[in-house]
Structure formats: C-alpha cells, structure tokens
Amino acid sequence: MYKEQLSLFDENEDNNTAHLGNLNVVRLEFLEGHSTSWQELFTGYDELHAITYSSGIGFIAKLINLFENAEIIFGCEQVISYAVNEVMAFQTALIERVRLNKSKDILIDRIQNGTLKLLVTHGKLSHEKIYLLSSKDGKKRVIMGSANMSEQAFSGHQRENISYMDGEEAYEWYMSIYETLREDCTDNITEKAILFSDDCDGLDTLPISQAVKIKKALAIVPDHSADEDIEFALNIKKLSDKMKTIVPKADKKGKILLSPSKVTVMKTQAKEANQAEKEKRQEFPQLVIDIDKGTAFLNDIKLDLTPSKEDIENDIKWFLYYLDGFSAFHGDYRYMQNRYYEFANWFFCSPFMAIMRDVAERNNHPLLPYPAFGLIYGQSKAGKTSFLKTLQKMMIGQSTVLPASEFTRKSIEAFKYNVKGVPIIVDDLTRDRFSQHAVETIKSDAFGIADKNIHYPAVVISANEDVKSVAQEITRRTVICRVNAGLTNTEVMKSTVVKKTQKNIGTAFYREYLHRMTGKVKELSESIKDENEETPPDILKLSAGILLDIFKEYSSDLPEYIRPLSLDNYFSEKVTANSVIKEIQSAWKTSHDCFEIDKKANTLSYNTGQSYEADRIIRQLPENLVPRKVRDCVVMDLAAAKEFFSINFKKSFFDRFKQ
C-alpha cells in the first residue's frame, strides 16, 4: 500500500479493482477433532508470528510468555475504508487501549529487550486469523480459524472454529502470506508510542507518523469497496442507539428478561417515538434528493418534478414582485437586490452541497467551493427574515425559523443530524452569540464527511448590524450577504408585499428547478473524479444558469439582477471585503487627514481612531495587502491597496499644506 515519493494525504487513486483475481485456497484433509487447552495448543515452540483483529491485551501478555520471540500484527475489527483519518483514529485507539491496560509493562519490557514486535495495519486486512509457531528443533505449526487473540476466544466459553496443521509445507505457505502483509501495509508500534501517545497530543508518535519520518513520503489508498458495509454498520449503530431508549433495564446481574408483555410495551414506545419524530419532521421538514434516480422526497412523500407551466409562471411573477419591492427601501436598493438574488441562488442550491462535499472529499478536492453556511447581516428592517422565509416557502411550501436562543454548536449539529435538505434558519443572532457559537461551528466544516451523510442541511444565520465584521476564515466558508438598505417603522407596518407574496407563491418554480438540477449535479459530481480537472466544478454557476433558463422560458421581461453567477460572485476578495472597501472609499472622500502615504516604504496607513476598529478592519482584508496594526492605524501595502480599493491615494497640494 505504501508508495514512495507521494504525499501522505494523496487519496486519488482508484483501488476498486486492486483485489480482483483468483482466490488463494488451501486444500485440507480431516484427520480428527479433539478437545485441548490453549496452553497445550501453543506450548512447545520458541517463536510466534500472528495476525489478529480483536484482541485482549492481558491474554497477549500471557501468550507471549510461552515464546522467546513474538511478532503480532493487529488489524481493525471495525469495517473501515482505511482512509488516512480512519487509519490514524484506529492506531490511536489501539495504542490507547494498550497504554491503559495493566499488562502494558510486560509488553514494554519485551519490546525493550527486542523479543516482541507489535505491528499495526494501515491497509485492508484479510479476515483470516493466523498463528505461526516454530521451534529451534524444526517443529512448525499453523493455527487458524475464527479465534482472535483474546481470552474469550481461547477459553472455550464461546463457539470458535479453530484448526491447526503441523509441518514445514503448511508453515511456509502461511508465512509467505504473513510476510507479504507485514511488508506492504503495517507500521511498527514503538515503546514511545505506548508511553506517550494520547489522542492528538501524540499524533507524531503514531506508527504511521513514524513511518512517514523514515520513508519521507507515504501514500495510502482507501478501499471504497467497503462503503456499503460501513453504511450498514453505521445504520446498526444509529438503530441501536434508538432501541436503547425502549429496551427494558437490566437486573442487578446484568440480565435483561424479555416477555411478551414487555415486547408489547416496547412496540407502543417505538410507535410513540416514531410519532414524535414525525412531528419533529413537520416542524423541520426533510428534503431528500436522489441525483441518480432524479427524484426528490419531502417528508417521505415523492415530489412532482413536472409542474404545470401556469404554476411556474405564477411563482416567477410573485418572486419578481417580491424582489422589485426592495426598490422602495432607503439606501442602495439595487445593490441589495443583486446580493439577495445571489443569496437566493445559493439557498436553492444548498440541498446539493452535502452531495458535492462528499464527492469532493473522496476525490481529494477542497470543500470550500461547496459552502454549507450562509449569513445575512446588516441594518434592521431590511427584510432579512421575511426574505429567508419566502425562499423556504418556495422550496417546501412552509417556513420554520430557529430562535437565536437555541443556537449552540451542539444544538446545530443535533439539528443537522435530524433535518435533511431544507436549510435551517437561525433568526436574529446577536454579536456575542455569533462569536461564541457560530464562528467555531462554521470553522468545523467537516460535518457529515466521516459518516458519508449526503442529505444534511445548510445553516443560514440572520443577524443585525452589531455583527460588524466577519473574519476571512469565516468568509471563505460562508455565503455572506450584507445589506445596507431598509424601511422606516411606519413603512414596515404599511407594506403588504411580503404578505401578498407568501400567500400566493407556491413550490412549482423550485420543483422545476430540482427537475433540471438533479441530472446536471450528477454530471458535475462525476467531473470531480476527472484527474485532469484543474479547477473545482462550480455548482453555483450551474445553479444560476438553470435559474436563468427557467426565468427566460417563463417570463419575457427580466430585471438586471436575474443574471449569470459564478463562485467569484461569492468569494472573490472584493466581494467578501465589500463593506470595508466602501468604508475606506468613503473615508478617503471625506477625510484625507486619516491617511498617511509613504511612497518610499510603499505603505498606506489609515487611522481608525480606535484600536478595536483597526482590528475589525484587518480581519476583513485579504492577505496580499499585508495588513497590520500600529496603535490605532491599519498599515497596508500601498500598491496593493491602490488596486484593491480602486483609489490612487494621491493627496492634493492643500492636503499637504494642512499637514
């Protein structure tokens, strides 16, 4: 499995056909069956080589005491694909298990004196358990079957298939299998790893990390042929957790007694739990899209993805009526319409993001082009919440909003496990709660990857002006819409645009969108697998193109904000830092005195007046400006600042005279 001169994290190679071919089988003849103890089975030999899955550390300590030298390969008893993260997790858990066992000192002593070698797999291991015994006088024995190296397996308390063969020929056959595995896909467990490895703090002591240091570069090829088994194992775990709440409690001896009456009670409790889950789905609907079949289900009901022309035209009419209503807002309403339409494009596209992120991860592509978080913030009475509710109503015919008080990282992850497809809207998040919970939630963007969840929803946050700035680490993971226009209190009270729209708009437009998107997203996900593809496929561009096609087909007069879009409309530096660009441009127009220009040093200094204001601006600026703080000032690269802010930064004679 190791390949020299490749990155440790290179997982691009397709290994689906690596194990196709003839099977290696051993033809046996039955001699006899008899009873014996594990001690009698293993005694009389000097050297042991073994392959085991599940193991008991205490039993291993007893077993190796029978041998002068021993070498053991540990495989993972769970069904995994052996991706890098899974290998590291497995090795960490195994070593931690050894480290915490009271017999660890016996193992360490044997490792130190060179009579014990422990190896751990980093590649797919066969299901065989093999014990190879040899002695100085030439005796050879092979023990095989279902028994792992544990007290439980060799105590006679559980059923095991254990066979053995004596002789040189059988030993050499199985030793060749053992040596191939050892050379191709194992790492050595060192004394240091057992003593010091402890979760992430001991990452550099893991066997795989030590192998990287020795070989300089290693590649691991995951085996995705096990994906179905992994999904099955995960489903068992989820169902087990669900059943745990209705199974009767064990008695003092740990026994659980089931009777017909208890099964009846369990059935009733299961029905109640299912009903509660259905009620929860009504509160937070679940949209499941299958791009392979071209279908979509809402709360287990199949959606009609071929709506009538009249219904689509009706939805478009009311959607345009709604967005045109922003022309009555005070401020730059045209910019607001553009940004709201861009956000709508991502919002409609968001149920496909989990699918694209899963495919991207499996093909070693970045996740950033497929954002699963959205943020609308700015002045109050800008129609943020009603806008999000309208979009949600267009998707599923209803709208639900999560109060800001219920937003924590833990609660959001719980919702994402239970809600499917439809974006979770968190309303009116304060600056403090955004800093305490939202930032870490957004930065931890690996949700759903490990368990291959392709239906989790996006999270959309609305916040007011007190969320004054968003750092670059957030803007590159989040679709952000900052609004600077709004209505007065009286105008909000008198406006009927939202009420009329939400009363008359339906889901036909979005169902037509889904009909066209599913096949195209399937093609897009396939293109990620193309090794010659230099740039990540742009799903936001695809989505905007499909929206534009529908608008053109069903409406003759379209406003300018209905337009093609791409990833750059969301994540170019000038888009993510738009608010600070406008702030600097405004400051330059009104007060040149706040700026100091040093052409020789190629620096531009902007005096913000407050240290925290300088911090706020720096968080929003791209790295190529090399922004830094000097007291209350933001100091930037002059040449880069000229281009970024579209300002020449030349002071007039009178400005210089005033200084």
Side-chain angles (χ1 to χ4, degrees), residues 12-40:
N12 286 328
E13 297 186 33
D14 186 356
N15 198 37
N16 291 334
T17 61
H19 300 293
L20 294 180
N22 294 328
L23 294 172
N24 289 324
V25 297
V26 176
R27 183 169 174 266
L28 305 172
E29 289 185 1
F30 180 79
L31 296 180
E32 65 171 348
H34 63 91
S35 297
T36 187
S37 67
W38 70 265
Q39 291 92 339
E40 292 174 342

Side-chain angles (χ1 to χ4, degrees), residues 179-197:
E179 289 175 343
T180 299
L181 173 64
R182 180 178 61 192
E183 293 302 317
D184 287 350
C185 51
T186 59
D187 305 314
N188 189 30
I189 299 177
T190 64
E191 171 197 355
K192 181 180 180 183
I194 298 174
L195 290 173
F196 301 109
S197 182

Side-chain angles (χ1 to χ4, degrees), residues 38-100:
W38 70 265
Q39 291 92 339
E40 292 174 342
L41 189 62
F42 284 94
T43 298
Y45 299 87
D46 304 306
E47 194 163 275
L48 167 70
H49 292 80
I51 302 173
T52 183
Y53 267 66
S54 177
S55 55
I57 306 305
F59 180 76
I60 290 175
K62 293 178 185 177
L63 182 61
I64 63 173
N65 191 48
L66 300 178
F67 300 91
E68 293 181 10
N69 293 285
E71 185 175 285
I72 303 168
I73 297 176
F74 295 96
C76 182
E77 59 188 307
Q78 303 298 324
V79 181
I80 63 175
S81 64
Y82 287 91
V84 172
N85 58 307
E86 294 177 339
V87 171
M88 287 186 164
F90 159 51
Q91 291 189 359
T92 300
L94 175 64
I95 294 171
E96 181 73 358
R97 185 177 180 184
V98 175
R99 190 169 69 87
L100 296 177

Side-chain angles (χ1 to χ4, degrees), residues 209-471:
S209 301
Q210 295 300 309
V212 171
K213 291 179 182 178
I214 296 170
K215 295 197 175 186
K216 304 303 181 185
L218 304 172
I220 291 182
V221 182
D223 179 12
H224 292 294
S225 64
D227 285 356
E228 186 176 338
D229 293 333
I230 294 170
E231 184 178 357
F232 180 68
L234 289 169
N235 287 337
I236 291 176
K237 175 68 169 61
K238 290 176 182 178
L239 285 171
S240 174
D241 291 341
K242 188 175 180 180
M243 296 293 183
K244 190 183 294 185
T245 60
I246 63 174
V247 170
K249 301 292 184 184
D251 61 21
K252 293 180 179 179
K253 295 182 179 180
K255 292 182 180 179
I256 296 177
L257 179 63
L258 287 180
S259 63
S261 61
K262 287 184 178 180
V263 172
T264 302
V265 172
M266 289 169 60
K267 181 180 178 181
T268 302
Q269 291 175 337
K271 282 185 176 181
E272 292 173 351
N274 286 337
Q275 182 60 35
E277 187 174 341
K278 286 182 180 180
E279 291 175 0
K280 188 172 185 178
R281 288 187 182 187
Q282 289 300 317
E283 184 180 358
F284 296 101
Q286 299 191 23
L287 179 66
V288 176
I289 300 170
D290 189 327
I291 62 172
D292 293 319
K293 297 179 181 177
T295 59
F297 287 80
L298 179 62
N299 296 340
D300 299 326
I301 299 174
K302 189 175 183 179
L303 295 178
D304 177 10
L305 300 186
T306 56
S308 68
K309 176 183 177 182
E310 293 75 14
D311 288 343
I312 296 172
E313 289 174 343
N314 175 76
D315 290 351
I316 289 176
K317 179 186 75 173
W318 284 104
F319 180 69
L320 296 179
Y321 169 77
Y322 179 82
L323 285 182
D324 288 346
F326 289 115
S327 61
F329 280 47
H330 304 284
D332 190 353
Y333 74 87
R334 294 188 187 277
Y335 174 79
M336 186 175 181
Q337 286 174 325
N338 279 312
R339 297 299 288 152
Y340 268 175
Y341 180 71
E342 291 165 8
F343 199 89
N345 178 51
W346 169 79
F347 195 97
F348 291 151
C349 182
S350 65
F352 297 98
M353 290 302 178
I355 297 172
M356 295 300 293
R357 289 166 69 85
D358 176 68
V359 178
E361 172 69 17
R362 285 192 281 112
N363 290 276
N364 202 29
H365 280 267
L367 302 181
L368 293 178
Y370 313 108
F373 287 89
L375 169 65
I376 294 185
Y377 76 109
Q379 67 186 69
S380 60
K381 295 182 286 295
K384 299 184 292 294
T385 303
S386 60
F387 170 64
L388 295 175
K389 286 184 175 181
T390 300
L391 295 182
Q392 201 176 59
K393 195 170 190 301
M394 291 178 70
M395 289 179 68
I396 59 170
Q398 63 186 87
S399 61
T400 55
V401 175
L402 183 69
S405 59
E406 294 185 24
F407 183 96
T408 64
R409 177 177 174 179
K410 186 175 181 180
S411 68
I412 284 298
E413 290 199 351
F415 277 115
K416 288 174 74 174
Y417 273 115
N418 293 296
V419 180
K420 295 180 180 179
V422 182
I424 300 170
I425 299 174
V426 183
D427 188 34
D428 202 17
L429 205 65
T430 62
R431 179 178 60 187
D432 290 343
R433 188 168 283 274
F434 182 85
S435 300
Q436 291 170 8
H437 301 288
V439 172
E440 285 304 314
T441 303
I442 294 170
K443 285 168 61 179
S444 303
D445 61 354
F447 181 90
I449 296 299
D451 53 4
K452 295 177 173 53
N453 184 346
I454 60 171
H455 298 301
Y456 62 85
V459 177
V460 183
I461 299 168
S462 76
N464 285 329
E465 188 63 30
D466 60 349
V467 178
K468 293 184 179 296
S469 66
V470 184

